[in-house]
Amino acid sequence: MDINTICVHGSAHKTDYTGSVTVPIYQTATFAHLGVGQSTGYDYSRLQNPTREQLENVVAALEHGTDAIAFSTGMAAISAVMELFEAGDHIVISDDLYGGSHRLFHHISEKNGLTFTAVNTTDLLLIEKNIQPQSKAIFIETPSNPMMQITDIAEVAKIAKAHRLLLIVDNTFLSPYFQNPIDLGADIVMHSGTKYLGGHNDTLAGFAVTASNELSEKLRFIFKTVGACLSPFDSYLLIRGIKTLSIRMERQQENALKLAGWLAQHPKIKAVYYAGLPTHHGYEISKRQARGFGSMISFETDSEQTAHQVLERVKLILFAESLGGVETLITYPMLQTHADIPASEREAKGINERLLRLSVGLEASDDIIADLEQALR
Ligand SMILES: Cc1ncc(COP(=O)(O)O)c(C=O)c1O
């Protein structure tokens, strides 16, 4: 089935006995048993819920996985995946990651005995060099947040296979509409469903998509035990959001391409980080491994004062954390998404007082550009 059709109809569209066109919200905590040893297949909503199940089927189909598990947030999904590992295990991670993942790894997972080595995963030799005997996985984001680094997923998958490591890819920035890491050799795909999948800045959600039944079984056990499941109502909102994923992704990307080109020629902008610009280091890899460049742009202004001025003067664009929704948002990574990363590490990556991040929305591109123009004046 084509991806556009899966977005609208789910993996296998079935109506219930009423013929309801949309998936009903099964707002129930528990399910009655018909008799001893009998079950409808649903026992308790932490384990399974029909609305959540429909959403999980859609996301698994979109990501070409054997299973997708819907969590209450993206961070809940990543935390659950960390439970696959044991004290003493080591994981190689991208040195440019969402700040919340960095915080989880260094403040919670390390406390539980895991160790991490952060490397620039665009450099394959560096990944190889940092694999240790106790390494169990490689965790990457591509494009990365916020510096938009592009890692070659298929090449990293080869390294992971050779060393018997799991490859975990956070695919939040491109969504399954533009990129399918499992097809390139990933074992687990992560999503903050809060972003493009939900698409409306109104719901928190997270997903872990598995490439094998074995991984799915292990993660389902953690899921039902830890309990950070997505509610029936939020599952419904995600199903609703995904119905328009394809047109949102296309239109937001169209806007982003125009905006990136406009920013690149602005005298107060010193650098633009967007994989859709042919000058970007990862342009060719992006074209090879993804079907689009997405709509996340980071850019460096000429001074801290200009960056503050933009944040304070934007009118249409909202100065807010998060991304992937229909509204254009501007973020100050240094103070918001990446505030918990030690200053020296942050600065070395270019996440400084001049860096801003845009999540380009669905408004008319001319209106977004006009807003930025007046804010930069
Ligand atoms: C790339 C990426 N992964 C994971 C997350 C965490 O998702 P959530 O905010 O839904 O917990 C975020 C949040 O911004 C993100 O940008």
Side-chain angles (χ1 to χ4, degrees):
M1 213 188 273
D2 183 87
I3 189 163
N4 291 280
T5 312
I6 297 172
C7 285
V8 176
H9 287 288
S11 53
H13 178 65
K14 277 195 229 96
T15 54
D16 69 0
Y17 72 98
T18 66
S20 170
V21 167
T22 57
V23 176
I25 303 168
Y26 286 88
Q27 191 62 44
T28 182
T30 191
F31 300 84
H33 298 297
L34 300 172
V36 177
Q38 291 184 40
S39 165
T40 57
Y42 302 97
D43 301 315
Y44 190 63
S45 276
R46 173 156 37 79
L47 282 64
Q48 335 89 333
N49 175 282
T51 316
R52 194 171 66 231
E53 189 174 73
Q54 175 68 19
L55 168 65
E56 291 175 336
N57 289 342
V58 176
V59 174
L62 288 174
E63 275 295 14
H64 308 162
T66 57
D67 191 12
I69 308 177
F71 291 83
S72 53
T73 65
M75 288 319 300
I78 300 175
S79 303
V81 166
M82 286 302 114
E83 295 296 335
L84 290 169
F85 304 104
E86 286 170 15
D89 289 350
H90 170 260
I91 303 177
V92 177
I93 57 172
S94 297
D95 64 355
D96 187 41
L97 282 180
Y98 166 57
S101 303
H102 185 283
R103 186 172 56 226
L104 170 72
F105 298 157
H106 295 297
H107 294 273
I108 308 282
S109 308
E110 277 184 1
K111 184 175 61 109
N112 295 337
L114 304 190
T115 57
F116 298 86
T117 304
V119 302
N120 181 341
T121 51
T122 64
D123 184 341
L124 300 171
L125 283 177
L126 215 49
I127 298 180
E128 287 258 23
K129 252 170 87 179
N130 282 282
I131 292 171
Q132 304 175 5
Q134 62 276 28
S135 295
K136 290 285 160 27
I138 303 173
F139 185 106
I140 60 172
E141 268 179 29
T142 180
S144 64
N145 183 359
M147 299 311 291
M148 311 299 159
Q149 289 177 349
I150 303 296
T151 294
D152 191 323
I153 301 173
E155 288 302 317
V156 179
K158 282 186 203 157
I159 297 173
K161 296 267 170 309
H163 294 269
R164 301 167 63 86
L165 311 179
L166 290 180
L167 174 59
I168 306 165
V169 180
D170 186 330
N171 199 28
T172 297
F173 270 27
L174 288 187
S175 92
Y177 183 71
F178 281 142
Q179 182 167 272
N180 293 120
I182 286 176
D183 292 351
L184 301 164
D187 298 289
I188 302 177
V189 175
M190 310 303 314
H191 278 285
S192 168
T194 315
K195 318 301 184 198
Y196 290 99
L197 290 169
H200 292 76
N201 287 323
D202 58 4
T203 320
L204 297 168
F207 295 94
V209 188
T210 52
S212 72
N213 290 332
E214 189 194 339
L215 276 171
S216 156
E217 268 170 40
K218 285 185 186 164
L219 265 175
R220 285 251 168 224
F221 178 80
I222 295 166
F223 178 71
K224 79 172 179 188
T225 307
V226 175
C229 59
L230 194 65
S231 74
F233 183 65
D234 288 350
S235 297
Y236 167 81
L237 286 175
L238 261 286
I239 292 170
R240 183 181 160 102
I242 290 172
K243 284 179 195 278
T244 56
L245 179 70
S246 55
I247 53 168
R248 285 187 285 106
M249 293 304 291
E250 292 287 357
R251 176 66 193 285
Q252 283 173 253
Q253 170 173 257
E254 207 180 291
N255 280 352
L257 279 163
K258 284 189 198 152
L259 222 79
W262 180 83
L263 284 166
Q265 55 71 50
H266 196 285
K268 287 193 180 173
I269 305 303
K270 295 299 160 207
V272 179
Y273 305 101
Y274 179 59
L277 292 174
T279 48
H280 188 279
H281 79 90
Y283 181 73
E284 290 304 328
I285 299 173
S286 290
K287 282 211 304 194
R288 215 167 47 236
Q289 70 183 8
R291 294 177 290 277
F293 305 108
S295 46
M296 294 301 298
I297 305 172
S298 290
F299 60 97
E300 189 174 328
T301 57
D302 61 355
S303 68
E304 180 174 14
Q305 191 197 345
T306 304
H308 285 208
Q309 179 185 312
V310 170
L311 294 171
E312 278 158 16
R313 286 197 190 162
V314 282
K315 295 190 177 100
L316 177 77
I317 301 169
L318 299 163
F319 172 22
E321 249 168 275
S322 204
L323 61 110
V326 294
E327 295 90 2
T328 298
L329 303 184
I330 194 159
T331 304
Y332 202 19
M334 183 186 98
L335 288 188
Q336 294 178 300
T337 49
H338 293 71
D340 283 343
I341 298 180
S344 56
E345 231 179 277
R346 216 176 2 82
E347 294 277 336
K349 289 303 302 175
I351 308 171
N352 55 37
E353 67 287 350
R354 300 179 299 280
L355 188 84
L356 297 175
R357 194 193 73 186
L358 265 181
S359 167
V360 182
L362 275 185
E363 305 90 341
S365 55
D366 285 352
D367 288 335
I368 306 171
I369 288 173
D371 195 29
L372 274 178
E373 188 155 45
Q374 64 80 28
L376 277 161
R377 208 171 287 140

PDB file of all heavy atoms in Angstrom, residues 271-289:
ATOM      1  N   ALA A 271      25.479  31.700   9.063  1.00  0.00           N
ATOM      2  CA  ALA A 271      25.499  30.292   8.607  1.00  0.00           C
ATOM      3  C   ALA A 271      24.077  29.746   8.664  1.00  0.00           C
ATOM      4  O   ALA A 271      23.299  30.101   9.555  1.00  0.00           O
ATOM      5  CB  ALA A 271      26.398  29.455   9.501  1.00  0.00           C
ATOM      6  N   VAL A 272      23.743  28.886   7.692  1.00  0.00           N
ATOM      7  CA  VAL A 272      22.431  28.230   7.675  1.00  0.00           C
ATOM      8  C   VAL A 272      22.679  26.727   7.652  1.00  0.00           C
ATOM      9  O   VAL A 272      23.449  26.232   6.818  1.00  0.00           O
ATOM     10  CB  VAL A 272      21.600  28.648   6.432  1.00  0.00           C
ATOM     11  CG1 VAL A 272      20.254  27.920   6.426  1.00  0.00           C
ATOM     12  CG2 VAL A 272      21.390  30.159   6.410  1.00  0.00           C
ATOM     13  N   TYR A 273      22.055  26.003   8.585  1.00  0.00           N
ATOM     14  CA  TYR A 273      22.207  24.544   8.648  1.00  0.00           C
ATOM     15  C   TYR A 273      20.897  23.906   8.192  1.00  0.00           C
ATOM     16  O   TYR A 273      19.910  23.892   8.940  1.00  0.00           O
ATOM     17  CB  TYR A 273      22.557  24.107  10.078  1.00  0.00           C
ATOM     18  CG  TYR A 273      23.787  24.802  10.637  1.00  0.00           C
ATOM     19  CD1 TYR A 273      23.664  25.868  11.535  1.00  0.00           C
ATOM     20  CD2 TYR A 273      25.061  24.401  10.250  1.00  0.00           C
ATOM     21  CE1 TYR A 273      24.780  26.514  12.034  1.00  0.00           C
ATOM     22  CE2 TYR A 273      26.187  25.045  10.747  1.00  0.00           C
ATOM     23  CZ  TYR A 273      26.039  26.101  11.633  1.00  0.00           C
ATOM     24  OH  TYR A 273      27.148  26.745  12.123  1.00  0.00           O
ATOM     25  N   TYR A 274      20.883  23.442   6.953  1.00  0.00           N
ATOM     26  CA  TYR A 274      19.694  22.799   6.395  1.00  0.00           C
ATOM     27  C   TYR A 274      20.171  21.824   5.318  1.00  0.00           C
ATOM     28  O   TYR A 274      20.866  22.229   4.372  1.00  0.00           O
ATOM     29  CB  TYR A 274      18.735  23.842   5.801  1.00  0.00           C
ATOM     30  CG  TYR A 274      17.491  23.227   5.193  1.00  0.00           C
ATOM     31  CD1 TYR A 274      16.618  22.445   5.966  1.00  0.00           C
ATOM     32  CD2 TYR A 274      17.174  23.414   3.853  1.00  0.00           C
ATOM     33  CE1 TYR A 274      15.477  21.877   5.410  1.00  0.00           C
ATOM     34  CE2 TYR A 274      16.032  22.848   3.288  1.00  0.00           C
ATOM     35  CZ  TYR A 274      15.191  22.074   4.077  1.00  0.00           C
ATOM     36  OH  TYR A 274      14.072  21.506   3.522  1.00  0.00           O
ATOM     37  N   ALA A 275      19.821  20.560   5.473  1.00  0.00           N
ATOM     38  CA  ALA A 275      20.355  19.530   4.563  1.00  0.00           C
ATOM     39  C   ALA A 275      19.864  19.699   3.132  1.00  0.00           C
ATOM     40  O   ALA A 275      20.433  19.119   2.207  1.00  0.00           O
ATOM     41  CB  ALA A 275      19.989  18.145   5.085  1.00  0.00           C
ATOM     42  N   GLY A 276      18.823  20.525   2.926  1.00  0.00           N
ATOM     43  CA  GLY A 276      18.307  20.749   1.573  1.00  0.00           C
ATOM     44  C   GLY A 276      19.115  21.764   0.777  1.00  0.00           C
ATOM     45  O   GLY A 276      18.834  21.982  -0.401  1.00  0.00           O
ATOM     46  N   LEU A 277      20.116  22.392   1.409  1.00  0.00           N
ATOM     47  CA  LEU A 277      20.982  23.315   0.668  1.00  0.00           C
ATOM     48  C   LEU A 277      22.137  22.514   0.071  1.00  0.00           C
ATOM     49  O   LEU A 277      22.819  21.778   0.799  1.00  0.00           O
ATOM     50  CB  LEU A 277      21.536  24.403   1.597  1.00  0.00           C
ATOM     51  CG  LEU A 277      20.536  25.423   2.147  1.00  0.00           C
ATOM     52  CD1 LEU A 277      21.210  26.353   3.163  1.00  0.00           C
ATOM     53  CD2 LEU A 277      19.911  26.243   1.012  1.00  0.00           C
ATOM     54  N   PRO A 278      22.386  22.643  -1.238  1.00  0.00           N
ATOM     55  CA  PRO A 278      23.454  21.832  -1.863  1.00  0.00           C
ATOM     56  C   PRO A 278      24.819  22.034  -1.213  1.00  0.00           C
ATOM     57  O   PRO A 278      25.696  21.186  -1.333  1.00  0.00           O
ATOM     58  CB  PRO A 278      23.452  22.308  -3.321  1.00  0.00           C
ATOM     59  CG  PRO A 278      22.088  22.871  -3.540  1.00  0.00           C
ATOM     60  CD  PRO A 278      21.642  23.440  -2.224  1.00  0.00           C
ATOM     61  N   THR A 279      25.001  23.156  -0.480  1.00  0.00           N
ATOM     62  CA  THR A 279      26.280  23.406   0.184  1.00  0.00           C
ATOM     63  C   THR A 279      26.396  22.629   1.510  1.00  0.00           C
ATOM     64  O   THR A 279      27.470  22.582   2.112  1.00  0.00           O
ATOM     65  CB  THR A 279      26.399  24.914   0.507  1.00  0.00           C
ATOM     66  OG1 THR A 279      25.172  25.322   1.131  1.00  0.00           O
ATOM     67  CG2 THR A 279      26.641  25.729  -0.746  1.00  0.00           C
ATOM     68  N   HIS A 280      25.314  22.024   1.977  1.00  0.00           N
ATOM     69  CA  HIS A 280      25.345  21.302   3.261  1.00  0.00           C
ATOM     70  C   HIS A 280      26.188  20.030   3.125  1.00  0.00           C
ATOM     71  O   HIS A 280      26.082  19.325   2.118  1.00  0.00           O
ATOM     72  CB  HIS A 280      23.912  20.956   3.675  1.00  0.00           C
ATOM     73  CG  HIS A 280      23.803  20.387   5.061  1.00  0.00           C
ATOM     74  ND1 HIS A 280      24.060  19.061   5.342  1.00  0.00           N
ATOM     75  CD2 HIS A 280      23.478  20.972   6.244  1.00  0.00           C
ATOM     76  CE1 HIS A 280      23.893  18.861   6.651  1.00  0.00           C
ATOM     77  NE2 HIS A 280      23.535  20.002   7.211  1.00  0.00           N
ATOM     78  N   HIS A 281      26.987  19.725   4.164  1.00  0.00           N
ATOM     79  CA  HIS A 281      27.899  18.568   4.091  1.00  0.00           C
ATOM     80  C   HIS A 281      27.152  17.259   3.818  1.00  0.00           C
ATOM     81  O   HIS A 281      27.704  16.332   3.224  1.00  0.00           O
ATOM     82  CB  HIS A 281      28.709  18.439   5.392  1.00  0.00           C
ATOM     83  CG  HIS A 281      27.902  17.803   6.504  1.00  0.00           C
ATOM     84  ND1 HIS A 281      27.870  16.444   6.720  1.00  0.00           N
ATOM     85  CD2 HIS A 281      27.045  18.352   7.408  1.00  0.00           C
ATOM     86  CE1 HIS A 281      27.043  16.187   7.724  1.00  0.00           C
ATOM     87  NE2 HIS A 281      26.537  17.327   8.162  1.00  0.00           N
ATOM     88  N   GLY A 282      25.888  17.193   4.243  1.00  0.00           N
ATOM     89  CA  GLY A 282      25.168  15.916   4.127  1.00  0.00           C
ATOM     90  C   GLY A 282      24.165  15.879   2.984  1.00  0.00           C
ATOM     91  O   GLY A 282      23.332  14.966   2.922  1.00  0.00           O
ATOM     92  N   TYR A 283      24.260  16.840   2.074  1.00  0.00           N
ATOM     93  CA  TYR A 283      23.266  16.948   0.992  1.00  0.00           C
ATOM     94  C   TYR A 283      23.176  15.655   0.167  1.00  0.00           C
ATOM     95  O   TYR A 283      22.094  15.119  -0.044  1.00  0.00           O
ATOM     96  CB  TYR A 283      23.648  18.144   0.106  1.00  0.00           C
ATOM     97  CG  TYR A 283      22.704  18.389  -1.043  1.00  0.00           C
ATOM     98  CD1 TYR A 283      21.432  18.930  -0.833  1.00  0.00           C
ATOM     99  CD2 TYR A 283      23.081  18.093  -2.360  1.00  0.00           C
ATOM    100  CE1 TYR A 283      20.571  19.162  -1.896  1.00  0.00           C
ATOM    101  CE2 TYR A 283      22.215  18.326  -3.419  1.00  0.00           C
ATOM    102  CZ  TYR A 283      20.970  18.862  -3.181  1.00  0.00           C
ATOM    103  OH  TYR A 283      20.107  19.085  -4.227  1.00  0.00           O
ATOM    104  N   GLU A 284      24.328  15.139  -0.265  1.00  0.00           N
ATOM    105  CA  GLU A 284      24.310  13.950  -1.134  1.00  0.00           C
ATOM    106  C   GLU A 284      23.822  12.718  -0.369  1.00  0.00           C
ATOM    107  O   GLU A 284      23.045  11.926  -0.891  1.00  0.00           O
ATOM    108  CB  GLU A 284      25.720  13.684  -1.718  1.00  0.00           C
ATOM    109  CG  GLU A 284      26.153  14.725  -2.753  1.00  0.00           C
ATOM    110  CD  GLU A 284      25.180  14.873  -3.933  1.00  0.00           C
ATOM    111  OE1 GLU A 284      24.552  13.869  -4.307  1.00  0.00           O
ATOM    112  OE2 GLU A 284      25.046  16.006  -4.451  1.00  0.00           O
ATOM    113  N   ILE A 285      24.276  12.564   0.880  1.00  0.00           N
ATOM    114  CA  ILE A 285      23.823  11.405   1.683  1.00  0.00           C
ATOM    115  C   ILE A 285      22.319  11.506   1.902  1.00  0.00           C
ATOM    116  O   ILE A 285      21.584  10.524   1.792  1.00  0.00           O
ATOM    117  CB  ILE A 285      24.564  11.333   3.048  1.00  0.00           C
ATOM    118  CG1 ILE A 285      26.059  11.170   2.840  1.00  0.00           C
ATOM    119  CG2 ILE A 285      24.028  10.188   3.909  1.00  0.00           C
ATOM    120  CD1 ILE A 285      26.884  11.250   4.114  1.00  0.00           C
ATOM    121  N   SER A 286      21.842  12.719   2.181  1.00  0.00           N
ATOM    122  CA  SER A 286      20.396  12.915   2.393  1.00  0.00           C
ATOM    123  C   SER A 286      19.622  12.476   1.169  1.00  0.00           C
ATOM    124  O   SER A 286      18.588  11.818   1.283  1.00  0.00           O
ATOM    125  CB  SER A 286      20.077  14.393   2.638  1.00  0.00           C
ATOM    126  OG  SER A 286      20.547  14.784   3.863  1.00  0.00           O
ATOM    127  N   LYS A 287      20.106  12.881  -0.002  1.00  0.00           N
ATOM    128  CA  LYS A 287      19.378  12.541  -1.227  1.00  0.00           C
ATOM    129  C   LYS A 287      19.329  11.029  -1.417  1.00  0.00           C
ATOM    130  O   LYS A 287      18.364  10.486  -1.936  1.00  0.00           O
ATOM    131  CB  LYS A 287      20.047  13.205  -2.440  1.00  0.00           C
ATOM    132  CG  LYS A 287      19.700  14.676  -2.528  1.00  0.00           C
ATOM    133  CD  LYS A 287      19.647  15.193  -3.955  1.00  0.00           C
ATOM    134  CE  LYS A 287      20.936  14.944  -4.683  1.00  0.00           C
ATOM    135  NZ  LYS A 287      21.037  15.690  -5.922  1.00  0.00           N
ATOM    136  N   ARG A 288      20.395  10.357  -0.967  1.00  0.00           N
ATOM    137  CA  ARG A 288      20.488   8.903  -1.130  1.00  0.00           C
ATOM    138  C   ARG A 288      19.591   8.159  -0.131  1.00  0.00           C
ATOM    139  O   ARG A 288      18.922   7.203  -0.480  1.00  0.00           O
ATOM    140  CB  ARG A 288      21.946   8.503  -0.906  1.00  0.00           C
ATOM    141  CG  ARG A 288      22.394   7.374  -1.753  1.00  0.00           C
ATOM    142  CD  ARG A 288      23.884   7.151  -1.774  1.00  0.00           C
ATOM    143  NE  ARG A 288      24.563   7.149  -0.498  1.00  0.00           N
ATOM    144  CZ  ARG A 288      25.589   7.955  -0.210  1.00  0.00           C
ATOM    145  NH1 ARG A 288      26.026   8.825  -1.089  1.00  0.00           N
ATOM    146  NH2 ARG A 288      26.180   7.892   0.965  1.00  0.00           N
ATOM    147  N   GLN A 289      19.580   8.615   1.118  1.00  0.00           N
ATOM    148  CA  GLN A 289      18.923   7.792   2.147  1.00  0.00           C
ATOM    149  C   GLN A 289      17.521   8.281   2.552  1.00  0.00           C
ATOM    150  O   GLN A 289      16.819   7.573   3.259  1.00  0.00           O
ATOM    151  CB  GLN A 289      19.800   7.665   3.391  1.00  0.00           C
ATOM    152  CG  GLN A 289      19.965   8.921   4.227  1.00  0.00           C
ATOM    153  CD  GLN A 289      20.904   8.698   5.398  1.00  0.00           C
ATOM    154  OE1 GLN A 289      21.551   7.654   5.513  1.00  0.00           O
ATOM    155  NE2 GLN A 289      21.000   9.656   6.292  1.00  0.00           N
TER     156      GLN A 289
END
